[in-house]
Amino acid sequence: MDVGEHVIAAGLSDPGMVRSNNEDSIAYDLSHGILILADGMGGYSGGEVASGIAVQVITDYLQEHLSSLKKIGEIDNKSGFTYESLLAEQAISLANVAIKETALQDPQRHQMGTTIVVVIFYDNRMTVAHIGDSRLYRRRHQQLEQITRDHSLLQELVDKGFYTEEEARSSLNKNVLTRALGTDDAVKIDKHEEVVLPEDLYLLCTDGLSDMLLDKEIDSLLVEAGNQPEEAVMRLVSGANNAGGLDNVSVVVARVESEFSVKRAWYNKVLDWFFE
Ligand code: CA
């Protein structure tokens, strides 16, 4: 099934107003149903290298393995996750190894790492897997909701009640990550699966967007863009830059145009019979 017939997307990555380099990387390939975004860190252009490796390794792996799954949306009995979710996890783990190996060969970049957000659409569902403070938002029924939870010191302090969300915004140490890709041997990946509805809008972004704009400002820009991905990515990047553009800003926006469920005729027949 070609998800690209049912979901449209656009992406934009911009250095912002202050920095000369761009350490973010993005990719999307809707024929495979994938959206990817990474925000690298580390001196001597290590950030660019790390986010670039992550996006490349994950894209290659998913393109190869998603198309060879026997069934779409099948659940692995052992983990309770779909095979698509497991592939996302494997892809991210491979990227971790690739970044670490590159870092070993280049002592100046030994501390490089990256955040990662991977979204896969399949069978009226999506998986999101992430590490770090790059985010996935969903806009559904006129409501913008943050789906991922940041792996940052600040989020931990908010969770423990040291800060309110508002105080957190003005905190100085908001960019300290508690998890990153490429910096440790083992990676702990948060992944979850959600049902997708027609007209849903999905927004992946780096902190260059979410630090510069409040959620309600992001929401207004999406509304102004008529929920259209091409228009939305331009307005979001301009919005972050108009607010100062202190960091690189990257966004990928996808809109679900129609359902993309796998036809399971016999299964539906059994259900119809069962619930008659
Ligand atoms: Ca950033």
Side-chain angles (χ1 to χ4, degrees):
M1 177 178 46
D2 184 356
V3 175
E5 291 171 9
H6 308 275
V7 181
I8 55 170
L12 197 54
S13 185
D14 188 271
M17 305 302 280
V18 176
R19 299 192 175 188
S20 54
N21 60 334
N22 188 350
E23 300 188 315
D24 296 347
S25 296
I26 60 171
Y28 50 100
D29 166 15
L30 285 177
S31 63
H32 290 88
I34 44 187
L35 316 171
I36 307 175
L37 171 142
D39 176 355
M41 67 210 77
Y44 304 97
S45 67
E48 282 157 74
V49 175
S51 70
I53 293 172
V55 166
Q56 191 64 55
V57 167
I58 292 166
T59 305
D60 290 349
Y61 186 84
L62 291 179
Q63 284 175 339
E64 183 185 345
H65 289 83
L66 280 170
S67 39
S68 52
L69 285 178
K70 281 193 204 96
K71 275 191 201 164
I72 294 172
E74 191 180 7
I75 292 165
D76 166 50
N77 286 331
K78 227 157 114 189
S79 64
F81 283 98
T82 61
Y83 284 97
E84 282 83 350
S85 294
L86 300 184
L87 285 181
E89 193 168 48
Q90 286 158 14
I92 293 172
S93 298
L94 268 181
N96 192 57
V97 174
I99 294 167
K100 283 177 61 72
E101 279 177 357
T102 307
L104 275 177
Q105 290 159 12
D106 188 348
Q108 283 190 315
R109 294 178 182 154
H110 72 283
Q111 280 184 316
M112 69 179 177
T114 185
T115 70
I116 192 75
V117 185
V118 176
V119 168
I120 309 177
F121 293 108
Y122 53 95
D123 194 22
N124 277 351
R125 262 182 284 175
M126 59 152 299
T127 287
V128 55
H130 91 287
I131 300 173
D133 65 353
S134 297
R135 294 178 177 175
L136 174 70
Y137 288 89
R138 179 183 66 204
R139 190 164 196 277
R140 172 181 286 174
H141 302 144
Q142 331 295 333
Q143 297 267 333
L144 186 71
E145 187 187 350
Q146 186 182 332
I147 304 285
T148 52
R149 193 162 193 83
D150 296 351
H151 301 134
S152 65
L153 182 63
L154 200 63
Q155 183 65 54
E156 274 189 18
L157 294 176
V158 169
D159 291 346
K160 287 177 185 160
F162 285 102
Y163 288 106
T164 64
E165 296 275 354
E166 265 163 40
E167 287 166 344
R169 288 198 70 82
S170 54
S171 163
L172 287 174
N173 57 358
K174 66 179 151 199
N175 299 113
V176 178
L177 298 186
T178 50
R179 284 193 226 171
L181 188 65
T183 53
D184 292 301
D185 287 331
V187 283
K188 196 159 172 275
I189 300 159
D190 278 4
K191 58 184 188 306
H192 57 263
E193 298 165 356
E194 298 258 352
V195 169
V196 163
L197 298 178
E199 295 181 23
D200 276 358
L201 202 72
Y202 293 87
L203 162 65
L204 289 73
C205 68
T206 55
D207 61 349
L209 183 82
S210 51
D211 281 353
M212 300 312 302
L213 298 176
L214 298 168
D215 285 5
K216 64 177 183 204
E217 294 171 321
I218 293 173
D219 189 55
S220 306
L221 290 170
L222 293 173
V223 173
E224 284 170 27
N227 290 317
Q228 291 305 314
E230 288 280 354
E231 186 67 29
V233 296
M234 287 191 286
R235 285 179 188 257
L236 291 167
V237 168
S238 305
N241 283 338
N242 291 339
L246 296 181
D247 193 2
N248 307 143
V249 50
S250 299
V251 291
V252 179
V253 174
R255 182 186 148 89
V256 180
E257 301 283 287
S258 55
E259 292 199 11
F260 47 99
S261 97
V262 177
K263 302 257 182 295
R264 285 177 295 186
W266 66 268
Y267 181 75
N268 288 337
K269 246 181 233 168
V270 173
L271 279 186
D272 287 346
W273 169 77
F274 201 74
F275 289 111
E276 217 162 60

